[in-house]
Structure formats: structure tokens, C-alpha cells
Amino acid sequence: MPNGQKGDRNLENHSVYLGVDVGSVSTNLVVLDASSLEVISKIYCRTQGRPIQALQKAVEQIAKQGSWQVVGVGTTGSARQLAGVMLGADVVKNEITAHALAALHQEPDVQTIIEIGGQDSKIIILRDQVVTDFAMNTVCAAGTGSFLDQQAGRLNIPIEKFGDIALQSRSPVRIAGRCTVFAESDMIHKQQLGHGIADILAGLCDAMVRNYLNNVGKGKEIKEKILFQGGVAANKGMRRALQEALNAEVLVPAHFDVMGAIGAALLAHEQISRGSQTNFYGFQMVDSVFENRSWICQDCANHCEIVDILRDGQIIASWGSRCGKVQSGMESSSRLAIS
């Protein structure tokens, strides 16, 4: 079954929590068993700059994998608010909280989380199961999955084989990894000198790890146990480079690619366990037409750009107002349409 998994158990009317992580590169969904809190199904698909369509497609796919009775929904990721209003989420949380909770669920004594996704990377420091520090890199593509994707494509290498080829290296080359432009030009120069692909890929992994530790991990006390999660954790070359740079074991959890979604589902479990009823709209949301529109509020000198989210022509949420006047979909007295 593509993009998902299905166990042997009877999935008829299975009570589950749904976790959703919508990012700029991928849209991830997980289904957690409501009793054991184990992952029983998951979806990992590309967002491709269309979060509304990607979320509806992912929800449609996961709905076909069982007869779920969703008892709680949580959302996270850069489009967590949008996903939350589309689904009727019970809890909407930032990625740091979601990733930390998922890691603690997997390894209760974890002290460092290294997360490298498609467009950004993070480090989360925990002590005694509490987040004490974190950092994110969202302004430079060097060291993220999208840059590795781009370089694999340029070398005509399937990204799935990138790590295995890097592990074949005998003598990794030195590549400047401080920015994508320098790294790419350095790789081309090394190719022209006749270095093998395996040594170049291993050198790129080393450069990406140096970039990560010098920018995202700068000043952080990185202690074991260390978890490596996010889509880039599938790259065995990156894991080896991290272990060599840190001189420590780096663990990759079984569901490394959907840890944010797992954390969102666990947060929904916490919310519902307090006695709440789920607000989930149901899987029929995939048949609705969602759209957004922007306009400028003219009620004061702030001239805020307001974004309305509509479902089948009806406003279900609005945001962007500094004064809070239209946060719940209330109309401003005067509008200036942007698009």
C-alpha cells in the first residue's frame, strides 16, 4: 500500500487519534491507536506549495486505510493553523513541542533532538524530560533536505540511494558547506578534479553536519541520548557524519519521518483525556471546497492584511488582524481586496 502501512489487526471502527504535520515540503499524517498510542498507519506526501490540496489528498488516503473512529485531532507544522481549521482540530501546537513530545514517547531519557527537514532544521535540548533550549534555522537552505535533494538530482542519483553511496566512501573530500552556492561550486570543482561520487557525497554530508553544528547547534550542550529525526534522517551518510562529528551514538527512531505528526496526535490525546469531546469535522472534509482570500482592513492606520479561510463559500476562520477584531471571522467595516 503506497505511503502508508496497515497492520494485521481488525481496523473496523478502530478508535484512533489523528496527528497532522503540514510543512513547506511534506504533509504527514499518523493514526495512533487510542489505547496503546502506537502508530498503526501513516502518510508522508509532498506539499508542493499547495497545503490545502495536499492535506485533503493525505486525509483521503488515510481514510481508505481503515474504518477509523477519530476521537481526537492535533495539528503542527508551519501550516498548523490552516490544517487546524480545515479539520476541526482539538489542539494546534508548534513543532518544537510536537517533536519533543514524540521523542520522549519513543525514548524517555532523550537529551538532544536533531531534526532536519526539507526547508529548515532544529535542535531541541531536553533535561529531565523538559525542553530547556532550542534553536531553528529557517533562513539558509544549506544543510536541509531540499539542498540534498537538489544535489542528488544534479548528480542523477536517486535520493533514496544517496546515503548508501556515501557510506562507500574511502576518503571524503572537503566541501565548503557554509552556504548552498559555495557548496555546489565546490562539488563541481571536486568532480572536475576526478574525485569519485561516493567521496563527494560523503564530503557533502560532512559539510552539511558542520553547517548544522556551527549554526543551529552553536552554543548548545549536546548530550546523549541523541535522536535524529526528520526526512533527512533516512540518509545513512548524514547519520554517520553526525556520529563522527559528535563522537557519540545517534539514534534514528522507527517513524523518524513523521515525528511531528506523532507529537500532534499525542497532544490531542492529552487534550481529550481531560474530558473534552473532539471537534473533528469528519473525513467528508475531503469533498469540501476550501479557498483563501486576502484583503486589507481599512479601519485604522495599521492596514492589516487579513486572510480569510472559506469552506464551501463560508468563512470558517480569519487571521492577520493586530487588534484581534476579525480573528474569528467577523467582518471589518471596510475592505480593500488584494486578490
Side-chain angles (χ1 to χ4, degrees):
M1 182 171 293
N3 296 322
Q5 60 182 27
K6 191 173 183 179
D8 295 328
R9 68 192 73 188
N10 180 10
L11 299 180
E12 288 296 320
N13 298 315
H14 204 111
S15 294
V16 298
Y17 291 101
L18 182 63
V20 178
D21 181 359
V22 183
S24 56
V25 173
S26 67
T27 295
N28 311 323
L29 271 65
V30 299
V31 173
L32 293 192
D33 181 284
S35 298
S36 67
L37 299 181
E38 293 179 355
V39 175
I40 52 178
S41 188
K42 67 178 182 180
I43 294 288
Y44 179 96
C45 65
R46 298 277 182 172
T47 303
Q48 296 180 320
R50 306 176 68 194
I52 292 175
Q53 291 79 5
L55 178 59
Q56 286 185 294
K57 179 181 177 182
V59 170
E60 184 177 22
Q61 288 181 13
I62 214 154
K64 293 177 179 176
Q65 295 184 7
S67 182
W68 316 118
Q69 181 185 357
V70 177
V71 296
V73 179
T75 65
T76 188
S78 56
R80 57 185 177 272
Q81 288 183 307
L82 174 63
V85 298
M86 287 177 64
L87 291 164
D90 303 298
V91 59
V92 178
K93 281 288 185 181
N94 63 74
E95 296 146 280
I96 300 296
T97 302
H99 277 277
L101 189 59
L104 287 167
H105 183 68
Q106 177 87 20
E107 298 286 348
D109 52 349
V110 61
Q111 297 203 83
T112 305
I113 300 169
I114 294 171
E115 199 275 340
I116 304 180
Q119 291 281 2
D120 60 24
S121 52
K122 315 174 188 64
I123 187 168
I124 306 172
I125 305 298
L126 302 100
R127 297 293 182 263
D128 299 322
Q129 301 190 331
V130 175
V131 175
T132 59
D133 197 5
F134 69 91
M136 297 182 67
N137 176 22
T138 59
V139 297
C140 177
T144 65
S146 61
F147 181 61
L148 293 175
D149 261 344
Q150 180 188 8
Q151 295 309 310
R154 193 181 62 79
L155 296 170
N156 198 27
I157 295 171
I159 189 63
E160 297 81 9
K161 296 183 178 178
F162 187 116
D164 290 328
I165 296 174
L167 291 182
Q168 298 171 14
S169 170
R170 298 290 182 87
S171 179
V173 298
R174 178 82 178 184
I175 291 176
R178 58 188 178 279
C179 88
T180 57
V181 176
F182 288 130
E184 183 170 332
S185 61
D186 218 13
M187 288 175 63
I188 293 172
H189 178 62
K190 293 297 191 299
Q191 284 180 274
Q192 292 169 337
L193 292 177
H195 291 284
I197 292 296
D199 289 337
I200 291 174
L201 293 184
L204 180 60
C205 291
D206 292 340
M208 297 300 98
V209 167
R210 283 198 306 275
N211 179 287
Y212 174 87
L213 295 177
N214 290 334
N215 291 286
V216 185
K218 186 177 182 179
K220 308 299 181 191
E221 189 179 18
I222 299 176
K223 286 186 174 181
E224 297 182 84
K225 213 175 240 183
I226 304 168
L227 286 193
F228 182 22
Q229 49 199 52
V232 176
N235 189 317
K236 297 174 184 176
M238 285 293 291
R239 182 191 180 193
R240 183 180 71 173
L242 278 168
Q243 291 190 140
E244 291 178 352
L246 297 171
N247 192 28
E249 184 179 15
V250 174
L251 304 175
V252 176
H255 302 291
F256 62 87
D257 52 343
V258 293
M259 293 294 276
I262 292 174
L266 292 171
L267 285 162
H269 164 68
E270 288 185 356
Q271 178 71 19
I272 297 301
S273 297
R274 298 188 185 107
S276 305
Q277 295 293 317
T278 185
N279 298 312
F280 182 49
Y281 294 143
F283 290 114
Q284 59 268 31
M285 59 80 65
V286 302
D287 298 320
S288 293
V289 176
F290 290 92
E291 55 184 334
N292 61 15
R293 66 188 182 195
S294 300
W295 51 278
I296 300 294
C297 178
Q298 300 289 299
D299 286 358
C300 73
N302 285 329
H303 291 174
C304 297
E305 180 182 356
I306 310 299
V307 177
D308 293 332
I309 306 300
L310 298 91
R311 177 177 180 175
D312 298 326
Q314 300 295 315
I315 296 176
I316 56 174
S318 299
W319 47 69
S321 167
R322 298 180 192 177
C323 67
K325 179 185 295 182
V326 292
Q327 296 289 3
S328 59
M330 294 174 58
E331 296 284 335
S332 173
S333 58
S334 58
R335 291 176 169 228
L336 175 65
I338 292 179
S339 60

PDB file of all heavy atoms in Angstrom, residues 141-169:
ATOM      1  N   ALA A 141      19.218  27.422   3.196  1.00  0.00           N
ATOM      2  CA  ALA A 141      18.880  26.078   2.731  1.00  0.00           C
ATOM      3  C   ALA A 141      20.020  25.093   2.921  1.00  0.00           C
ATOM      4  O   ALA A 141      19.820  23.881   2.824  1.00  0.00           O
ATOM      5  CB  ALA A 141      18.493  26.115   1.262  1.00  0.00           C
ATOM      6  N   ALA A 142      21.255  25.597   3.176  1.00  0.00           N
ATOM      7  CA  ALA A 142      22.387  24.695   3.361  1.00  0.00           C
ATOM      8  C   ALA A 142      22.128  23.800   4.564  1.00  0.00           C
ATOM      9  O   ALA A 142      21.806  24.263   5.645  1.00  0.00           O
ATOM     10  CB  ALA A 142      23.660  25.494   3.555  1.00  0.00           C
ATOM     11  N   GLY A 143      22.280  22.514   4.379  1.00  0.00           N
ATOM     12  CA  GLY A 143      22.089  21.576   5.477  1.00  0.00           C
ATOM     13  C   GLY A 143      20.670  21.079   5.604  1.00  0.00           C
ATOM     14  O   GLY A 143      20.356  20.353   6.544  1.00  0.00           O
ATOM     15  N   THR A 144      19.788  21.410   4.690  1.00  0.00           N
ATOM     16  CA  THR A 144      18.415  20.911   4.757  1.00  0.00           C
ATOM     17  C   THR A 144      18.172  19.885   3.651  1.00  0.00           C
ATOM     18  O   THR A 144      18.967  19.733   2.722  1.00  0.00           O
ATOM     19  CB  THR A 144      17.400  22.069   4.613  1.00  0.00           C
ATOM     20  OG1 THR A 144      17.522  22.624   3.292  1.00  0.00           O
ATOM     21  CG2 THR A 144      17.640  23.148   5.646  1.00  0.00           C
ATOM     22  N   GLY A 145      17.030  19.208   3.759  1.00  0.00           N
ATOM     23  CA  GLY A 145      16.734  18.151   2.805  1.00  0.00           C
ATOM     24  C   GLY A 145      16.585  18.631   1.381  1.00  0.00           C
ATOM     25  O   GLY A 145      16.945  17.918   0.439  1.00  0.00           O
ATOM     26  N   SER A 146      16.064  19.838   1.191  1.00  0.00           N
ATOM     27  CA  SER A 146      15.863  20.332  -0.168  1.00  0.00           C
ATOM     28  C   SER A 146      17.183  20.489  -0.897  1.00  0.00           C
ATOM     29  O   SER A 146      17.267  20.228  -2.108  1.00  0.00           O
ATOM     30  CB  SER A 146      15.103  21.662  -0.149  1.00  0.00           C
ATOM     31  OG  SER A 146      15.830  22.640   0.562  1.00  0.00           O
ATOM     32  N   PHE A 147      18.250  20.902  -0.194  1.00  0.00           N
ATOM     33  CA  PHE A 147      19.552  21.051  -0.846  1.00  0.00           C
ATOM     34  C   PHE A 147      20.136  19.684  -1.206  1.00  0.00           C
ATOM     35  O   PHE A 147      20.709  19.496  -2.298  1.00  0.00           O
ATOM     36  CB  PHE A 147      20.510  21.814   0.062  1.00  0.00           C
ATOM     37  CG  PHE A 147      21.868  22.033  -0.545  1.00  0.00           C
ATOM     38  CD1 PHE A 147      22.013  22.765  -1.710  1.00  0.00           C
ATOM     39  CD2 PHE A 147      23.001  21.489   0.037  1.00  0.00           C
ATOM     40  CE1 PHE A 147      23.261  22.954  -2.291  1.00  0.00           C
ATOM     41  CE2 PHE A 147      24.250  21.679  -0.531  1.00  0.00           C
ATOM     42  CZ  PHE A 147      24.383  22.411  -1.698  1.00  0.00           C
ATOM     43  N   LEU A 148      19.980  18.712  -0.306  1.00  0.00           N
ATOM     44  CA  LEU A 148      20.445  17.359  -0.615  1.00  0.00           C
ATOM     45  C   LEU A 148      19.671  16.789  -1.801  1.00  0.00           C
ATOM     46  O   LEU A 148      20.244  16.132  -2.671  1.00  0.00           O
ATOM     47  CB  LEU A 148      20.290  16.460   0.616  1.00  0.00           C
ATOM     48  CG  LEU A 148      21.180  16.802   1.819  1.00  0.00           C
ATOM     49  CD1 LEU A 148      20.827  15.916   3.000  1.00  0.00           C
ATOM     50  CD2 LEU A 148      22.650  16.657   1.464  1.00  0.00           C
ATOM     51  N   ASP A 149      18.354  17.049  -1.834  1.00  0.00           N
ATOM     52  CA  ASP A 149      17.523  16.628  -2.975  1.00  0.00           C
ATOM     53  C   ASP A 149      18.047  17.228  -4.276  1.00  0.00           C
ATOM     54  O   ASP A 149      18.177  16.536  -5.300  1.00  0.00           O
ATOM     55  CB  ASP A 149      16.074  17.100  -2.763  1.00  0.00           C
ATOM     56  CG  ASP A 149      15.179  15.997  -2.220  1.00  0.00           C
ATOM     57  OD1 ASP A 149      15.561  14.825  -2.295  1.00  0.00           O
ATOM     58  OD2 ASP A 149      14.090  16.332  -1.729  1.00  0.00           O
ATOM     59  N   GLN A 150      18.336  18.515  -4.218  1.00  0.00           N
ATOM     60  CA  GLN A 150      18.795  19.239  -5.409  1.00  0.00           C
ATOM     61  C   GLN A 150      20.121  18.670  -5.920  1.00  0.00           C
ATOM     62  O   GLN A 150      20.301  18.450  -7.123  1.00  0.00           O
ATOM     63  CB  GLN A 150      18.952  20.717  -5.054  1.00  0.00           C
ATOM     64  CG  GLN A 150      19.429  21.580  -6.201  1.00  0.00           C
ATOM     65  CD  GLN A 150      19.755  22.997  -5.746  1.00  0.00           C
ATOM     66  OE1 GLN A 150      19.771  23.302  -4.558  1.00  0.00           O
ATOM     67  NE2 GLN A 150      20.011  23.872  -6.693  1.00  0.00           N
ATOM     68  N   GLN A 151      21.057  18.405  -4.997  1.00  0.00           N
ATOM     69  CA  GLN A 151      22.365  17.901  -5.405  1.00  0.00           C
ATOM     70  C   GLN A 151      22.277  16.459  -5.913  1.00  0.00           C
ATOM     71  O   GLN A 151      22.992  16.071  -6.850  1.00  0.00           O
ATOM     72  CB  GLN A 151      23.359  18.002  -4.245  1.00  0.00           C
ATOM     73  CG  GLN A 151      23.652  19.433  -3.838  1.00  0.00           C
ATOM     74  CD  GLN A 151      24.028  20.300  -5.028  1.00  0.00           C
ATOM     75  OE1 GLN A 151      24.888  19.942  -5.837  1.00  0.00           O
ATOM     76  NE2 GLN A 151      23.362  21.441  -5.176  1.00  0.00           N
ATOM     77  N   ALA A 152      21.401  15.647  -5.294  1.00  0.00           N
ATOM     78  CA  ALA A 152      21.210  14.278  -5.787  1.00  0.00           C
ATOM     79  C   ALA A 152      20.666  14.303  -7.203  1.00  0.00           C
ATOM     80  O   ALA A 152      21.101  13.523  -8.069  1.00  0.00           O
ATOM     81  CB  ALA A 152      20.254  13.527  -4.854  1.00  0.00           C
ATOM     82  N   GLY A 153      19.722  15.228  -7.457  1.00  0.00           N
ATOM     83  CA  GLY A 153      19.178  15.356  -8.798  1.00  0.00           C
ATOM     84  C   GLY A 153      20.228  15.804  -9.800  1.00  0.00           C
ATOM     85  O   GLY A 153      20.275  15.310 -10.933  1.00  0.00           O
ATOM     86  N   ARG A 154      21.079  16.754  -9.394  1.00  0.00           N
ATOM     87  CA  ARG A 154      22.127  17.245 -10.293  1.00  0.00           C
ATOM     88  C   ARG A 154      23.116  16.137 -10.653  1.00  0.00           C
ATOM     89  O   ARG A 154      23.633  16.084 -11.772  1.00  0.00           O
ATOM     90  CB  ARG A 154      22.865  18.416  -9.626  1.00  0.00           C
ATOM     91  CG  ARG A 154      23.754  19.226 -10.560  1.00  0.00           C
ATOM     92  CD  ARG A 154      24.465  20.356  -9.825  1.00  0.00           C
ATOM     93  NE  ARG A 154      25.358  19.870  -8.792  1.00  0.00           N
ATOM     94  CZ  ARG A 154      26.572  19.375  -9.018  1.00  0.00           C
ATOM     95  NH1 ARG A 154      27.028  19.322 -10.255  1.00  0.00           N
ATOM     96  NH2 ARG A 154      27.324  18.942  -8.033  1.00  0.00           N
ATOM     97  N   LEU A 155      23.375  15.232  -9.698  1.00  0.00           N
ATOM     98  CA  LEU A 155      24.303  14.118  -9.933  1.00  0.00           C
ATOM     99  C   LEU A 155      23.601  12.895 -10.522  1.00  0.00           C
ATOM    100  O   LEU A 155      24.218  11.841 -10.688  1.00  0.00           O
ATOM    101  CB  LEU A 155      25.002  13.738  -8.621  1.00  0.00           C
ATOM    102  CG  LEU A 155      25.900  14.817  -8.021  1.00  0.00           C
ATOM    103  CD1 LEU A 155      26.332  14.439  -6.616  1.00  0.00           C
ATOM    104  CD2 LEU A 155      27.119  15.054  -8.904  1.00  0.00           C
ATOM    105  N   ASN A 156      22.282  13.028 -10.752  1.00  0.00           N
ATOM    106  CA  ASN A 156      21.475  11.935 -11.321  1.00  0.00           C
ATOM    107  C   ASN A 156      21.507  10.697 -10.424  1.00  0.00           C
ATOM    108  O   ASN A 156      21.649   9.561 -10.883  1.00  0.00           O
ATOM    109  CB  ASN A 156      21.972  11.576 -12.734  1.00  0.00           C
ATOM    110  CG  ASN A 156      20.938  10.783 -13.510  1.00  0.00           C
ATOM    111  OD1 ASN A 156      19.735  10.908 -13.266  1.00  0.00           O
ATOM    112  ND2 ASN A 156      21.404   9.959 -14.436  1.00  0.00           N
ATOM    113  N   ILE A 157      21.383  10.939  -9.130  1.00  0.00           N
ATOM    114  CA  ILE A 157      21.373   9.856  -8.141  1.00  0.00           C
ATOM    115  C   ILE A 157      20.023   9.871  -7.423  1.00  0.00           C
ATOM    116  O   ILE A 157      19.607  10.922  -6.917  1.00  0.00           O
ATOM    117  CB  ILE A 157      22.498  10.042  -7.103  1.00  0.00           C
ATOM    118  CG1 ILE A 157      23.860   9.919  -7.783  1.00  0.00           C
ATOM    119  CG2 ILE A 157      22.376   9.048  -5.955  1.00  0.00           C
ATOM    120  CD1 ILE A 157      25.000  10.296  -6.896  1.00  0.00           C
ATOM    121  N   PRO A 158      19.293   8.761  -7.350  1.00  0.00           N
ATOM    122  CA  PRO A 158      18.044   8.735  -6.576  1.00  0.00           C
ATOM    123  C   PRO A 158      18.326   9.092  -5.123  1.00  0.00           C
ATOM    124  O   PRO A 158      19.274   8.558  -4.523  1.00  0.00           O
ATOM    125  CB  PRO A 158      17.575   7.280  -6.708  1.00  0.00           C
ATOM    126  CG  PRO A 158      18.275   6.754  -7.926  1.00  0.00           C
ATOM    127  CD  PRO A 158      19.591   7.464  -7.989  1.00  0.00           C
ATOM    128  N   ILE A 159      17.536   9.972  -4.564  1.00  0.00           N
ATOM    129  CA  ILE A 159      17.788  10.431  -3.191  1.00  0.00           C
ATOM    130  C   ILE A 159      17.757   9.260  -2.209  1.00  0.00           C
ATOM    131  O   ILE A 159      18.441   9.281  -1.183  1.00  0.00           O
ATOM    132  CB  ILE A 159      16.765  11.525  -2.791  1.00  0.00           C
ATOM    133  CG1 ILE A 159      17.144  12.169  -1.461  1.00  0.00           C
ATOM    134  CG2 ILE A 159      15.357  10.964  -2.748  1.00  0.00           C
ATOM    135  CD1 ILE A 159      18.455  12.914  -1.460  1.00  0.00           C
ATOM    136  N   GLU A 160      16.995   8.201  -2.552  1.00  0.00           N
ATOM    137  CA  GLU A 160      16.920   7.036  -1.660  1.00  0.00           C
ATOM    138  C   GLU A 160      18.260   6.312  -1.566  1.00  0.00           C
ATOM    139  O   GLU A 160      18.520   5.601  -0.591  1.00  0.00           O
ATOM    140  CB  GLU A 160      15.845   6.061  -2.159  1.00  0.00           C
ATOM    141  CG  GLU A 160      14.423   6.597  -2.166  1.00  0.00           C
ATOM    142  CD  GLU A 160      14.136   7.463  -3.394  1.00  0.00           C
ATOM    143  OE1 GLU A 160      14.989   7.500  -4.312  1.00  0.00           O
ATOM    144  OE2 GLU A 160      13.079   8.115  -3.412  1.00  0.00           O
ATOM    145  N   LYS A 161      19.125   6.446  -2.586  1.00  0.00           N
ATOM    146  CA  LYS A 161      20.409   5.744  -2.596  1.00  0.00           C
ATOM    147  C   LYS A 161      21.558   6.643  -2.153  1.00  0.00           C
ATOM    148  O   LYS A 161      22.709   6.195  -2.089  1.00  0.00           O
ATOM    149  CB  LYS A 161      20.691   5.201  -4.000  1.00  0.00           C
ATOM    150  CG  LYS A 161      19.680   4.150  -4.446  1.00  0.00           C
ATOM    151  CD  LYS A 161      20.048   3.597  -5.821  1.00  0.00           C
ATOM    152  CE  LYS A 161      19.057   2.513  -6.256  1.00  0.00           C
ATOM    153  NZ  LYS A 161      19.372   1.993  -7.611  1.00  0.00           N
ATOM    154  N   PHE A 162      21.253   7.921  -1.873  1.00  0.00           N
ATOM    155  CA  PHE A 162      22.283   8.901  -1.518  1.00  0.00           C
ATOM    156  C   PHE A 162      23.133   8.395  -0.346  1.00  0.00           C
ATOM    157  O   PHE A 162      24.374   8.361  -0.411  1.00  0.00           O
ATOM    158  CB  PHE A 162      21.595  10.223  -1.167  1.00  0.00           C
ATOM    159  CG  PHE A 162      22.521  11.376  -0.939  1.00  0.00           C
ATOM    160  CD1 PHE A 162      22.494  12.475  -1.791  1.00  0.00           C
ATOM    161  CD2 PHE A 162      23.406  11.413   0.129  1.00  0.00           C
ATOM    162  CE1 PHE A 162      23.342  13.553  -1.598  1.00  0.00           C
ATOM    163  CE2 PHE A 162      24.237  12.491   0.337  1.00  0.00           C
ATOM    164  CZ  PHE A 162      24.208  13.558  -0.520  1.00  0.00           C
ATOM    165  N   GLY A 163      22.472   7.987   0.741  1.00  0.00           N
ATOM    166  CA  GLY A 163      23.187   7.583   1.945  1.00  0.00           C
ATOM    167  C   GLY A 163      24.032   6.334   1.746  1.00  0.00           C
ATOM    168  O   GLY A 163      25.171   6.261   2.212  1.00  0.00           O
ATOM    169  N   ASP A 164      23.464   5.343   1.056  1.00  0.00           N
ATOM    170  CA  ASP A 164      24.206   4.090   0.825  1.00  0.00           C
ATOM    171  C   ASP A 164      25.469   4.347   0.008  1.00  0.00           C
ATOM    172  O   ASP A 164      26.527   3.755   0.283  1.00  0.00           O
ATOM    173  CB  ASP A 164      23.315   3.075   0.103  1.00  0.00           C
ATOM    174  CG  ASP A 164      22.210   2.549   1.003  1.00  0.00           C
ATOM    175  OD1 ASP A 164      22.441   2.458   2.225  1.00  0.00           O
ATOM    176  OD2 ASP A 164      21.124   2.239   0.486  1.00  0.00           O
ATOM    177  N   ILE A 165      25.376   5.210  -0.978  1.00  0.00           N
ATOM    178  CA  ILE A 165      26.559   5.529  -1.792  1.00  0.00           C
ATOM    179  C   ILE A 165      27.595   6.279  -0.949  1.00  0.00           C
ATOM    180  O   ILE A 165      28.798   5.998  -1.028  1.00  0.00           O
ATOM    181  CB  ILE A 165      26.148   6.350  -3.029  1.00  0.00           C
ATOM    182  CG1 ILE A 165      25.241   5.517  -3.936  1.00  0.00           C
ATOM    183  CG2 ILE A 165      27.381   6.819  -3.806  1.00  0.00           C
ATOM    184  CD1 ILE A 165      24.658   6.289  -5.113  1.00  0.00           C
ATOM    185  N   ALA A 166      27.137   7.207  -0.123  1.00  0.00           N
ATOM    186  CA  ALA A 166      28.068   7.963   0.726  1.00  0.00           C
ATOM    187  C   ALA A 166      28.837   7.043   1.675  1.00  0.00           C
ATOM    188  O   ALA A 166      30.012   7.274   1.970  1.00  0.00           O
ATOM    189  CB  ALA A 166      27.305   9.024   1.514  1.00  0.00           C
ATOM    190  N   LEU A 167      28.165   5.980   2.142  1.00  0.00           N
ATOM    191  CA  LEU A 167      28.831   5.049   3.072  1.00  0.00           C
ATOM    192  C   LEU A 167      29.952   4.258   2.395  1.00  0.00           C
ATOM    193  O   LEU A 167      30.799   3.674   3.073  1.00  0.00           O
ATOM    194  CB  LEU A 167      27.800   4.076   3.661  1.00  0.00           C
ATOM    195  CG  LEU A 167      26.772   4.671   4.625  1.00  0.00           C
ATOM    196  CD1 LEU A 167      25.858   3.576   5.170  1.00  0.00           C
ATOM    197  CD2 LEU A 167      27.442   5.410   5.781  1.00  0.00           C
ATOM    198  N   GLN A 168      29.986   4.237   1.071  1.00  0.00           N
ATOM    199  CA  GLN A 168      31.043   3.519   0.342  1.00  0.00           C
ATOM    200  C   GLN A 168      32.327   4.335   0.239  1.00  0.00           C
ATOM    201  O   GLN A 168      33.344   3.843  -0.250  1.00  0.00           O
ATOM    202  CB  GLN A 168      30.549   3.166  -1.068  1.00  0.00           C
ATOM    203  CG  GLN A 168      29.337   2.234  -1.086  1.00  0.00           C
ATOM    204  CD  GLN A 168      28.742   2.095  -2.483  1.00  0.00           C
ATOM    205  OE1 GLN A 168      29.353   2.476  -3.480  1.00  0.00           O
ATOM    206  NE2 GLN A 168      27.531   1.563  -2.560  1.00  0.00           N
ATOM    207  N   SER A 169      32.296   5.566   0.706  1.00  0.00           N
ATOM    208  CA  SER A 169      33.459   6.457   0.577  1.00  0.00           C
ATOM    209  C   SER A 169      34.652   5.952   1.384  1.00  0.00           C
ATOM    210  O   SER A 169      34.508   5.496   2.524  1.00  0.00           O
ATOM    211  CB  SER A 169      33.072   7.861   1.050  1.00  0.00           C
ATOM    212  OG  SER A 169      34.215   8.671   1.147  1.00  0.00           O
TER     213      SER A 169
END
